[in-house]
Amino acid sequence: LKQHKMAFLQNMLAKRAVSATESLIEIPDINQKLENQTKDDLLSFLGQLPASPIQLQDFANRVIDDHLDNANWPNLRPSVVSIVNQVANAYSEYQHMAEVYSMVLENLEVPVSSLKIVAIVSMGGTPYKVFGDSPPAECATILANIANKFGILFELVPVQFRHFNKVLNNMYLGYATVILAKILARDEGKCRFDAIWFACKGTYPVVLALENYVLKGGVCPVSIVGMGTDMALFYNGIIDSQMDFDRVTDTVPMLVFNSDQDGHLGNSEDFQTFVESVEDDHHEFVNYDMEALQKTYPKLSTGHNWYLFTFAEPELVEFRDQILLKMSQFIN
């Protein structure tokens, strides 16, 4: 994991020369749109960029600066212009989500004020395609049904692996930047943001963003909900000191769903050490014996993609609802 962290920095530095000649994308009326965003008007922020390209560039550099204190990287600041532009293009591609959220609100049967807004990281196997890639009316029906039944409104963060030409480290930085921007916008009353749902490789950018937010003085982080994830990244992958680790994990509520049969969770000893070090009333770890559950739900996958299949297969709606209920109960 330390090598992974070094590779992340090396990749960012290698991209500096390429992106230095690129200009930040210009978005018409972006400052006015951001000025109009408010937590009291869901349609003003749902599916919208949480910051201007210039602000996103600052946030990206803020994330990177946390990891440039290594002696091998003195006085270096990678350019992140191309990554910010890729983030902006991703949001532009999913402009249809504004129509989706409008239809969702029209079909709400619960008070808007009671909803928990949960952002979905669109990578790592989360079912983002179920919520954003189907026809708008179909997406709206699915989201409204979940909102009415569980009090959760999922907000799709549309940034995907393909938007970064499948360069993994660029995606990590781009996503960490968006997450950090959304939390800071929430702190300013520009949006509502109660939790973030991620899976597998989505763990890395979530940890990057939350580490930066908390260690820079943030006192009200979002809850995090992970699936198929080795949260040992918190323990020995990104956060360097025990003091910082304790500060972040003491602040961030964490709900993790994993499968006993998942062979992609990294070092199980590290993960168990992590669980033991943070186990308390605002961290919950749920492990499913998928082979046993298959007797009740034959369509259930026992492998790493169990969570993707759970939300894609109509026959698994009962098991899906159990997960959503636990998620709703956990998020404050």
Side-chain angles (χ1 to χ4, degrees), residues 160-204:
Q160 299 169 24
F161 194 16
R162 61 183 175 84
H163 292 123
F164 300 94
N165 299 317
K166 296 191 175 181
V167 179
L168 189 60
N169 290 327
N170 287 16
M171 182 180 68
Y172 286 158
L173 179 61
Y175 242 114
T177 299
V178 173
I179 295 167
L180 178 60
K182 285 184 68 64
I183 299 175
L184 295 174
R186 187 277 318 268
D187 285 355
E188 294 180 358
K190 295 294 186 180
C191 69
R192 288 168 55 188
F193 184 20
D194 299 298
I196 187 161
W197 176 16
F198 61 95
C200 190
K201 65 176 71 71
T203 306
Y204 200 88

Side-chain angles (χ1 to χ4, degrees), residues 208-227:
L208 279 173
L210 288 172
E211 174 204 27
N212 185 281
Y213 174 77
V214 173
L215 298 184
K216 290 289 192 298
V219 295
C220 190
V222 296
S223 297
I224 63 175
V225 179
M227 294 183 180

Side-chain angles (χ1 to χ4, degrees), residues 172-297:
Y172 286 158
L173 179 61
Y175 242 114
T177 299
V178 173
I179 295 167
L180 178 60
K182 285 184 68 64
I183 299 175
L184 295 174
R186 187 277 318 268
D187 285 355
E188 294 180 358
K190 295 294 186 180
C191 69
R192 288 168 55 188
F193 184 20
D194 299 298
I196 187 161
W197 176 16
F198 61 95
C200 190
K201 65 176 71 71
T203 306
Y204 200 88
V206 170
V207 175
L208 279 173
L210 288 172
E211 174 204 27
N212 185 281
Y213 174 77
V214 173
L215 298 184
K216 290 289 192 298
V219 295
C220 190
V222 296
S223 297
I224 63 175
V225 179
M227 294 183 180
T229 175
D230 187 350
M231 290 306 298
L233 275 172
F234 261 117
Y235 188 75
N236 63 0
I238 296 175
I239 302 176
D240 291 322
S241 75
Q242 184 66 45
M243 181 182 298
D244 288 348
F245 168 80
D246 291 341
R247 186 175 168 189
V248 174
T249 54
D250 287 349
T251 307
V252 179
M254 185 184 312
L255 172 62
V256 178
F257 297 92
N258 279 328
S259 163
D260 288 340
Q261 286 75 37
D262 190 343
H264 291 71
L265 292 183
N267 189 312
S268 59
E269 184 176 339
D270 280 351
F271 183 73
Q272 189 57 41
T273 300
F274 169 77
V275 171
E276 293 171 355
S277 67
V278 302
E279 214 163 17
D280 57 33
D281 58 358
H282 74 293
H283 299 97
E284 187 171 353
F285 300 88
V286 180
N287 276 25
Y288 292 114
D289 183 343
M290 295 301 178
E291 291 182 352
L293 284 171
Q294 267 190 332
K295 298 175 182 177
T296 304
Y297 309 108

